[in-house]
Amino acid sequence: MSPPEIKEAILDILESIAPDEDVTNVKDDVPLREQLELDSMDFLDIVMELRKRYRVQIPEDDYVQLATINSTVEYLAPLMKDLQKA
Amino acid sequence: MPKDFLQGARDHYDCIVIGSGLAGLTAANTLARTGQSVLLLEQHYKLGGMATWFKRPGGHIFDISLHGFPVGMIKSCRRYWTQEIADSIVQLKNIRFDNPMFSLTTTFNREDFTRLLVEKFQVSAERVQAFFDTARGMNFYDDQSTTAGELFERFFPGREDIIRLLMEPITYANGSTLEDPAISYGIVFSNFMSKGVFTFEGGTDRLIHLMHEELLRSGVDVRIKCDVQRILVNRGRVAGVQVNGRTIGARAVISNANLKSTVLKMIGPEHFDRSFLDEAEAVRLNNSSCQVYMALRPGEMLDESLGDLLFSSTAPLFRTDLLLSRDVTSRTYSFYYPRTRPGSDRCLVVSSTNARYEDWAGLSDEAYEDSKRDLVESTLEALGRYIPDIRQKLDHAEASTPRTFRHYTRHLQGASFGTKFEGLAVSRALPEQIAGLYHAGSVGIIMSGWLGAMNYGVIVANDVDSWLMKSNRQTPLATAT
Ligand SMILES: Cc1cc2nc3c(=O)[nH]c(=O)nc-3n(C[C@H](O)[C@H](O)[C@H](O)COP(=O)(O)OP(=O)(O)OC[C@H]3O[C@@H](n4cnc5c(N)ncnc54)[C@H](O)[C@@H]3O)c2cc1C
């Protein structure tokens, strides 16, 4: 998957996690926590969805990498580059 | 021949979950949704653990632990269960306190507590805000040496009345005391006391019924009356369980049973490091409860001005040790109106007090029955203050004690709220001792209560799913099949 495809995948997951929020306006370089009402269970759900949908494993120590859309895409790019778009 | 409750069960699963409390149920459902094969084993004939109910002749249904939970349940139920379950959660708007220091009614949220503290308790708005912000900002990594008592002393020095207002509900909700770490208070407080108290419309029976249906849809193999005797370990790895005379294999096991009985009884000390065992043995259990269940005659109504939840006490001061005494001075009443179970014509009252197992364990059968009768009588007496004609309206009354909780949930000492703070670290460290073995259930105050138990079930299901995926890669056998 290419970085834009990965970004799309993340937005798709965010949409399922926060159905009441409009994720299309989320800024790529601002922490997600500051834009959406996300708590630690929400981040856990992102991790679980990524594993379920794409079989990528994110160790607990790396959860901090999921702060912004940009940092998430950057972190996931090497892990997901060989995957086909779902 | 006795019925075989494991008829048709397979010989091997990806994961076996022992116990169907809210943590076990939610862990099982979450894992099954990720595609793992899951067997759920419950020793009782009902699912739910302490999230339970019982029926009595005349059509009365009593809820045991449905006094109230935080708003976060809506999100967790939608996410980890179903929209229908989430949609049945409604707010309880009349929470009352009545004690020699003050009497008041609140909607139990940050705005209303702020209003009360400023108007009634004469504290400055800045101070109240600073307290709320501090409690809210607390997290796991903060220092654990500050106690809840010291936290109050810092913001409201000498104000026993304020401590009572802010602490009494939490003490009832999870048995915590002023000596417990401030952070566990802070985390529970900011969850529980900032956005109101909620309940489940239709009662616990409906909730558990809906959960059971969803488990089956997710593909969980659900079995009741299956008392797990042992968790089997082979060369440092979990291998399966022994249950109802059968051995069933699994790559992972999640125990929702009491943390200490999991470590010390179901697995056995020989499989652990000495230092881990010392820590597990040192974990303190939380206290237990007594309850009195009172049902009014069909059609007899209670005035809704009684409130939904009433923290009532005749003790002049608030002392957590007094709350455990058998010489009861403080009770929490839940008043259930017909709206609890839409369509019903019943009003019920459940009175709860915190209690110590030791005070009830040693009684002879006769003394035990006498004490239970006393408990019912003294509760009716106390309730007369709020409902003068309670005895005329009454159809049925009975009591439960720490012995009852111990009997139905197998919790050591009938612990109502799992373990104290230190239990969390032991629970989390279990898989480092035995690969594939996990614990999910009320620990450390933070992870207890309906919401805490559910969310902890999800946290552990995530660990297990991750571990199953990793261990799958490492075992050539599994990949070959
Ligand atoms: C009187 C009372 C009132 C409460 N009120 C509230 C409230 O108003 N709001 C709130 O949020 N919380 C309340 N709680 C707390 C809440 O009910 C619990 O924290 C929560 O339900 C615990 O869930 P759990 O998953 O930890 O496990 P539990 O409910 O303890 O379930 C453990 C399960 O494991 C099973 N089990 C144990 N050993 C075995 C074995 N060997 N084999 C098979 N199965 C086994 C047990 O039978 C049980 O079903 C209350 C608790 C009590 C006692």
Side-chain angles (χ1 to χ4, degrees):
Chain A
M1 285 168 78
S2 66
E5 286 167 345
I6 295 175
K7 180 182 164 182
E8 204 181 306
I10 297 164
L11 288 179
D12 204 49
I13 289 175
L14 277 176
E15 203 158 11
S16 71
I17 283 172
D20 306 331
E21 311 234 26
D22 182 7
V23 301
T24 48
N25 294 327
V26 168
K27 293 193 189 69
D28 292 352
D29 51 355
V30 177
L32 290 167
R33 264 203 155 144
E34 290 172 19
Q35 310 179 69
L36 306 169
E37 248 196 69
L38 299 180
D39 59 26
S40 54
M41 288 306 287
D42 295 315
F43 282 92
L44 186 69
D45 289 334
I46 297 174
V47 170
M48 283 199 292
E49 278 305 311
L50 283 167
R51 190 186 313 114
K52 187 152 120 195
R53 296 185 191 188
Y54 304 102
R55 303 189 66 74
V56 280
Q57 290 268 33
I58 306 178
E60 206 171 326
D61 290 344
D62 292 350
Y63 288 7
V64 287
Q65 310 282 351
L66 309 180
T68 67
I69 295 281
N70 278 346
S71 69
T72 310
V73 172
E74 208 170 296
Y75 172 77
L76 290 174
L79 300 173
M80 293 174 67
K81 67 178 187 326
D82 297 334
L83 293 174
Q84 289 305 313
K85 199 179 157 213
Chain B
M1 239 191 69
K3 184 166 173 204
D4 178 10
F5 287 93
L6 282 168
Q7 193 177 32
R10 293 159 36 179
D11 290 326
H12 196 276
Y13 292 81
D14 290 326
C15 182
I16 294 176
V17 179
I18 304 169
S20 69
L22 288 171
L25 289 169
T26 311
N29 200 43
T30 306
L31 268 177
R33 283 179 176 184
T34 69
Q36 312 288 358
S37 62
V38 180
L39 173 66
L40 176 65
L41 299 169
E42 168 57 49
Q43 56 91 17
H44 193 38
Y45 59 78
K46 267 196 238 168
L47 303 180
M50 288 194 290
T52 197
W53 70 96
F54 65 91
K55 297 183 174 178
R56 284 296 176 260
H60 304 303
I61 309 177
F62 294 100
D63 295 285
I64 308 292
S65 64
L66 184 59
H67 305 291
F69 46 71
V71 67
M73 272 295 276
I74 298 177
K75 190 169 89 178
S76 288
C77 284
R78 169 163 54 74
R79 195 84 56 75
Y80 312 121
W81 292 100
T82 64
Q83 189 69 44
E84 184 182 9
I85 291 177
D87 287 345
S88 301
I89 295 173
V90 293
Q91 191 176 0
L92 294 172
K93 297 202 176 100
N94 285 316
I95 314 300
R96 288 175 68 199
F97 290 77
D98 184 35
N99 61 58
M101 291 169 137
F102 53 86
S103 288
L104 55 85
T105 300
T106 170
T107 46
F108 220 76
N109 52 10
R110 180 170 176 160
E111 294 71 45
D112 205 45
F113 278 117
T114 305
R115 175 187 69 82
L116 287 165
L117 286 168
V118 172
E119 288 174 11
K120 211 170 150 86
F121 293 79
Q122 310 288 324
V123 186
S124 75
E126 294 72 46
R127 182 148 294 249
V128 177
Q129 182 171 354
F131 173 78
F132 265 97
D133 289 346
T134 304
R136 215 184 123 79
M138 289 183 162
N139 67 50
F140 275 139
Y141 312 105
D142 289 344
D143 98 284
Q144 293 173 20
S145 58
T146 308
T147 65
E150 286 160 2
L151 176 74
F152 289 126
E153 203 45 42
R154 192 157 106 227
F155 286 93
F156 310 112
R159 292 296 300 271
E160 301 230 17
D161 52 343
I162 294 180
I163 296 179
R164 187 169 208 164
L165 174 71
L166 297 176
M167 186 75 194
E168 206 165 49
I170 304 290
T171 301
Y172 279 119
N174 62 27
S176 58
T177 68
L178 290 168
E179 291 72 45
D180 284 318
I183 73 158
S184 62
Y185 173 81
I187 292 171
V188 175
F189 175 84
S190 49
N191 268 318
F192 208 73
M193 295 181 75
S194 65
K195 287 181 179 156
V197 183
F198 291 76
T199 190
F200 191 79
E201 204 170 74
T204 316
D205 43 337
R206 175 160 176 264
L207 172 70
I208 299 299
H209 174 78
L210 290 172
M211 286 182 165
H212 193 167
E213 284 182 349
E214 180 59 19
L215 285 172
L216 298 178
R217 270 192 295 270
S218 304
V220 178
D221 190 348
V222 182
R223 306 281 172 159
I224 54 165
K225 291 208 146 198
C226 286
D227 191 354
V228 174
Q229 297 301 310
R230 283 199 79 76
I231 298 172
L232 304 169
V233 178
N234 187 8
R235 287 194 236 152
R237 250 183 111 122
V238 83
V241 303
Q242 252 168 23
V243 53
N244 293 11
R246 253 182 86 173
T247 298
I248 301 184
R251 290 159 60 215
V253 168
I254 301 177
S255 173
N256 175 224
N258 185 278
L259 175 63
K260 293 184 85 156
S261 33
T262 301
V263 171
L264 303 170
K265 292 202 179 133
M266 285 200 271
I267 300 161
E270 64 278 17
H271 295 291
F272 297 99
D273 290 351
R274 188 65 248 173
S275 66
F276 178 85
L277 270 185
D278 289 344
E279 276 177 47
E281 273 165 7
V283 169
R284 294 161 299 158
L285 293 163
N286 256 316
N287 59 263
S288 185
S289 311
C290 284
Q291 288 187 315
V292 177
Y293 313 93
M294 293 157 281
L296 304 202
R297 282 203 289 272
E300 283 282 4
M301 289 298 125
L302 289 174
D303 185 353
E304 293 223 13
S305 67
L306 281 166
D308 295 299
L309 200 56
L310 167 58
F311 299 100
S312 154
S313 174
T314 53
L317 294 171
F318 172 67
R319 292 278 176 274
T320 37
D321 52 328
L322 283 183
L323 290 181
L324 296 174
S325 158
R326 272 192 62 195
D327 178 18
V328 180
T329 51
S330 303
R331 296 179 170 82
T332 305
Y333 299 104
S334 272
F335 297 105
Y336 298 97
Y337 306 96
R339 63 178 148 86
T340 311
R341 289 185 168 73
S344 119
D345 61 348
R346 300 305 155 84
C347 285
L348 305 98
V349 186
V350 176
S351 160
S352 308
T353 49
N354 293 357
R356 284 192 204 94
Y357 184 71
E358 308 85 87
D359 288 344
W360 293 85
L363 301 179
S364 69
D365 287 354
E366 199 182 328
Y368 180 62
E369 288 309 320
D370 279 349
S371 301
K372 283 217 293 195
R373 256 192 304 277
D374 270 0
L375 183 61
V376 172
E377 279 307 309
S378 55
T379 303
L380 286 170
E381 197 68 41
L383 188 57
R385 180 181 170 142
Y386 304 103
I387 313 172
D389 55 351
I390 180 66
R391 285 174 198 270
Q392 285 89 57
K393 290 184 157 160
L394 195 69
D395 199 30
H396 179 90
E398 69 181 272
S400 66
T401 74
R403 272 160 73 160
T404 323
F405 291 106
R406 148 99 237 199
H407 174 77
Y408 284 109
T409 65
R410 308 275 158 106
H411 276 293
L412 298 172
Q413 306 194 0
S416 306
F417 313 106
T419 73
K420 292 275 184 198
F421 196 66
E422 60 275 12
L424 184 56
V426 173
S427 171
R428 298 300 286 155
L430 211 48
E432 292 158 24
Q433 293 287 313
I434 297 172
L437 177 67
Y438 297 79
H439 171 263
S442 317
V443 279
I445 292 176
I446 302 165
M447 299 300 185
S448 77
W450 283 28
L451 179 62
M454 264 180 71
N455 284 350
Y456 197 34
V458 175
I459 291 170
V460 172
N462 173 56
D463 294 341
V464 172
D465 186 38
S466 166
W467 187 79
L468 283 171
M469 191 167 140
K470 256 187 261 163
S471 74
N472 215 353
R473 285 206 200 107
Q474 287 156 4
T475 19
L477 236 177
T479 41
T481 50

